[in-house]
């Protein structure tokens, strides 16, 4: 898994400094989603600022995406390809991606006639996954 991330990174970011490589390797070891704080806590040899900067870099490169959990905490996870959103289970914390977003059209409609240029949107969907009693039809 580290090699997959490294390959995706190499294609987009070019060379990484040694400390950033430590952060990338730690990201590759994560299962599911994680917070920047937890990652930084596990990497005492790397400065917090470096951890945060590298996460930002990985996010901008499309390797990671940010997920706003229902409790307001911001988590990171390996990103699926392209524009997508997340189905977040509030019981077990499992996150699933979904694409086929139709928000852009709605937002463009909302912004119509207002002095506002839309540059993006953020949407998370909270609920229960199948394993937590969610209704899978
Ligand atoms: Zn995502
Ligand atoms: Zn669940
Ligand atoms: Zn969208």
């Amino acid at each position: 898994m580290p090699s997959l991330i490294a390959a995706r990174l190499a294609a987009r970011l070019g060379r990484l400094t040694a400390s950033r490589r430590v952060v990338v390797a730690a990201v590759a070891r994560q299962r599911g989603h994680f917070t920047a704080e937890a990652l930084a806590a596990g990497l005492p040899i790397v400065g917090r600022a470096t951890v945060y900067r590298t996460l930002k870099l990985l996010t901008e490169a499309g390797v990671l995406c940010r997920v706003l959990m229902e409790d307001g905490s911001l988590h990171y996870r390996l990103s699926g390809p392209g524009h997508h959103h997340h189905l977040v289970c509030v019981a077990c914390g499992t996150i699933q991606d979904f694409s086929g977003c139709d928000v852009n059209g709605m937002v463009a409609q909302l912004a119509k006639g207002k002095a506002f240029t839309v540059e993006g949107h953020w949407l998370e969907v909270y609920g229960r996954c199948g394993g937590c009693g969610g209704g899978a039809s």
Side-chain angles (χ1 to χ4, degrees), residues 3-109:
S3 58
L4 174 71
I5 294 180
R8 285 168 73 179
L9 271 176
R12 302 205 187 204
L13 299 178
R15 292 186 20 234
L16 290 170
T17 63
S19 52
R20 280 186 177 169
R21 224 174 284 135
V22 170
V23 177
V24 170
V27 165
R29 285 196 301 272
Q30 301 296 311
R31 291 174 182 279
H33 46 90
F34 58 93
T35 63
E37 290 78 13
L39 195 72
L43 297 172
I45 54 164
V46 180
R48 286 175 66 85
T50 300
V51 171
Y52 279 77
R53 260 202 309 274
T54 306
L55 288 176
K56 186 168 184 281
L57 216 61
L58 293 174
T59 304
E60 286 167 359
V63 175
L64 290 177
C65 55
R66 295 175 298 176
V67 184
L68 187 65
M69 303 301 281
E70 204 199 21
D71 66 3
S73 63
L74 196 61
H75 285 231
Y76 290 84
R77 78 189 296 249
L78 289 180
S79 180
H83 181 82
H84 67 278
H85 298 284
H86 307 114
L87 300 173
V88 182
C89 177
V90 297
C92 73
T94 296
I95 297 168
Q96 303 173 60
D97 290 345
F98 74 94
S99 51
C101 162
D102 195 29
V103 174
N104 278 332
M106 185 188 81
V107 170
Q109 204 61 34

